Amino acid sequence: MDRTLYTYWRSSASYRVRIALALKGLAYDSQPINLAQGAQTSIGFKLLNPQGFVPFLIDGAAGLNQSLAIIEYLDETHPEPPLLPADPLGRARVRAAALAIACDIHPLNNLRVLKYLKGDLQQPQEVVDTWYRHWVEEGFGPLEEIAEGATGAYLFGDTPTLADICLVPQMWNARRLQADIARFPKLVAIDARLNTLPAVRAAAPEAQPDAVR
Ligand SMILES: N[C@@H](CCC(=O)N[C@@H](CS)C(=O)NCC(=O)O)C(=O)O
């Protein structure tokens, strides 16, 4: 196989790429990078991705990092089904919602940030968890407004887009950290619909070969 995804079962950025690959029906080998054991900091992995992040996709001779860049690359090289609308305004709206998750919620709750809070800043686990929930709940507020205006099954219509691909992993994380997702009923409903799709279920953390049960 000429496609390998460096991934971790609970990595939400990897989960995004897994959803995109599955929606497009693209086969790949999974190469687990155990973030809990610090494998992302190994010299070997950093030679691939100096940022020390998953996901990292090898596609033929190319190595790609950054989940949204990877997904747009996949969308351009395998256009069916499209993950972005055909019109520029539609694309801008979808990208804005995706970025609201990927740039404004997720980085505040990344593993290295939580480790810094707990380790260097010596915050108790309870404070770290409160931090996590705070940024998820604050970030989900404006997205719930988008969901309230949605006219299709998903955030932007009746086919999953890049925005939905970002929503599902962030919602999975929100549940894991017991954020108050009841405040966001439209987002919860859209996430539930997305999770009925076989491609989305196949990409779920629990379905991954490195999942710890
Ligand atoms: N902006 C990057 C973020 C990637 C990222 O933060 N990956 C996390 C897992 S979700 C990671 O590898 N964290 C390692 C660490 O924090 O040490 C992307 O979208 O790919």
Side-chain angles (χ1 to χ4, degrees):
M1 190 170 307
D2 62 356
R3 201 176 289 113
T4 301
L5 181 67
Y6 290 76
T7 174
Y8 179 61
W9 69 293
R10 280 198 325 209
S11 151
S12 55
S14 303
Y15 192 175
R16 293 175 200 145
V17 175
R18 295 195 303 256
I19 295 173
L21 286 163
L23 285 170
K24 293 198 176 274
L26 298 174
Y28 62 96
D29 285 325
S30 276
Q31 181 65 55
I33 296 294
N34 191 326
L35 299 188
Q37 291 175 4
Q40 71 277 29
T41 63
S42 71
I43 293 170
F45 184 64
K46 282 204 155 179
L47 280 174
L48 282 176
N49 185 3
Q51 271 196 302
F53 287 150
V54 287
F56 188 80
L57 181 73
I58 305 273
D59 188 39
L64 295 129
N65 66 329
Q66 287 291 342
S67 60
L68 298 197
I70 296 171
I71 293 168
E72 291 221 21
Y73 163 82
L74 292 172
D75 205 33
E76 287 171 18
T77 51
H78 300 84
E80 294 300 326
L83 302 176
L84 287 165
D87 62 302
L89 187 58
R91 283 200 294 278
R93 300 262 188 261
V94 168
R95 286 186 178 121
L99 291 169
I101 295 172
C103 295
D104 298 334
I105 299 177
H106 175 261
L108 288 160
N109 289 342
N110 203 350
L111 180 63
R112 62 188 180 145
V113 172
L114 304 182
K115 273 166 104 173
Y116 182 70
L117 283 171
K118 197 168 174 188
D120 297 53
L121 301 184
Q122 298 187 351
Q123 296 301 307
Q125 189 62 45
E126 191 190 324
V127 169
V128 176
D129 291 348
T130 300
W131 164 281
Y132 194 107
R133 289 190 282 265
H134 171 80
W135 294 115
V136 171
E137 290 166 15
E138 180 166 298
F140 271 1
L143 287 167
E144 177 71 5
E145 287 183 30
I146 293 174
E148 280 165 1
T151 53
Y154 309 123
L155 277 171
F156 295 92
D158 286 319
T159 55
T161 65
L162 183 65
D164 300 299
I165 287 173
C166 290
L167 174 65
V168 169
Q170 193 61 67
M171 192 60 89
W172 191 90
N173 278 353
R175 282 203 181 85
R176 185 166 80 88
L177 271 291
Q178 297 172 334
D180 184 10
I181 57 171
R183 288 169 51 192
F184 314 105
K186 299 285 185 199
L187 287 180
V188 168
I190 289 173
D191 174 67
R193 282 194 284 277
L194 287 160
N195 272 292
T196 65
L197 300 174
V200 173
R201 285 208 300 271
E206 305 79 22
Q208 302 315 301
D210 58 328
V212 177
R213 294 176 183 90

